Amino acid sequence: SQGIKSVLQCAIWDSGRFRGYVGFDECRDYRLWTKEEIGTLTFISKILSTFLLKMRAQDRLEKSYQITKTVLDTQDMWTYVIRKNTYELLFINKKTKELAPDAQVGDRCYHAFWGGRESPCEVCPMKGIDRDHDRCTMEIYNTTFHVWTSATAAKMNWTDDSEVYLLCCTDITRYKRRENLQDPHDGEEKA
């Protein structure tokens, strides 16, 4: 339908899998492609296919990021990522932003979540992580937000391959209140 008389096709391969091709059409005359034309067009095809594969990989990566962010934002826990040693916030999920709306990526966690504190907290699950333990969970009362949390810190690598900590904090305030109301000797609630 296009009146193509001659065609040259160069396959696009990605990790040994055929992903498509780049085609060059000649609509004026029947022709045999010269070695030089084939070499040039093959080189152009490689550049185009590299660009296309990179663009598709970037699209998949962006989609994966959006899915991961949606999963983290819909969890009923405060989730954030902190750079090791500097305590810099690298990621803050939606629930955490709702609790601490002024917290920003780049802030220090102890400053953002503990009423403007100027130094790292004495009680922090990150301090329980060492060579033998890649995660630590502890119960912490936050005096700024007046909530008890079960806070878990876990080591992970960030996009720049630096070591960071993922913190996931679950609100356990209602359980701690119940615990404080019960007499451990008879199990009945106090008046």
Side-chain angles (χ1 to χ4, degrees):
S1 63
Q2 295 173 298
I4 297 171
K5 309 251 187 237
S6 299
V7 69
L8 175 66
Q9 295 177 335
C10 299
I12 298 175
W13 296 92
D14 182 21
S15 301
R17 294 182 64 195
F18 178 75
R19 295 293 186 182
Y21 65 90
V22 177
F24 300 94
D25 303 332
E26 172 63 71
C27 297
R28 291 175 283 160
D29 296 313
Y30 294 102
R31 63 176 307 171
L32 291 176
W33 302 88
T34 66
K35 280 187 177 186
E36 186 176 288
E37 290 171 327
I38 292 171
T40 301
L41 295 175
T42 300
F43 180 70
I44 291 169
S45 295
K46 286 180 183 177
I47 292 171
L48 288 172
S49 65
T50 299
F51 172 76
L52 290 171
L53 292 172
K54 183 177 178 184
M55 190 172 69
R56 285 183 183 165
Q58 183 68 31
D59 289 346
R60 284 191 305 270
L61 187 61
E62 179 63 30
K63 190 174 187 176
S64 176
Y65 169 77
Q66 289 303 326
I67 290 168
T68 302
K69 187 175 180 318
T70 299
V71 168
L72 291 172
D73 281 344
T74 57
Q75 297 299 306
D76 191 25
M77 64 179 68
W78 300 292
T79 304
Y80 48 98
V81 176
I82 300 170
R83 187 175 304 284
K84 182 180 179 181
N85 300 325
T86 68
Y87 300 88
E88 173 190 5
L89 290 166
L90 300 173
F91 172 83
I92 307 168
N93 80 334
K94 184 178 177 183
K95 184 168 175 93
T96 305
K97 284 295 282 179
E98 289 168 357
L99 179 71
D102 294 332
Q104 299 292 322
V105 168
D107 290 349
R108 303 291 179 246
C109 61
Y110 49 81
H111 186 80
F113 304 137
W114 291 86
R117 186 182 173 96
E118 293 299 323
S119 61
C121 307
E122 291 81 23
V123 178
C124 177
M126 292 188 317
K127 293 182 178 181
I129 296 174
D130 56 29
R131 198 172 47 125
D132 299 322
H133 303 92
D134 62 356
R135 76 170 68 198
C136 176
T137 301
M138 59 177 54
E139 292 180 357
I140 300 170
Y141 181 73
N142 185 301
T143 55
T144 301
F145 300 116
H146 306 288
V147 294
W148 276 98
T149 63
S150 174
T152 299
K155 279 197 279 190
M156 62 182 266
N157 288 330
W158 198 239
T159 56
D160 61 1
D161 287 329
S162 63
E163 191 173 296
V164 299
Y165 296 109
L166 171 66
L167 275 94
C168 299
C169 304
T170 304
D171 186 351
I172 59 170
T173 305
R174 66 180 172 202
Y175 306 111
K176 292 301 262 185
R177 284 186 183 140
R178 271 193 225 142
E179 187 178 282
N180 290 335
L181 291 175
Q182 287 192 343
D183 183 336
H185 300 289
D186 63 18
E188 295 178 17
E189 290 190 19
K190 294 181 181 178

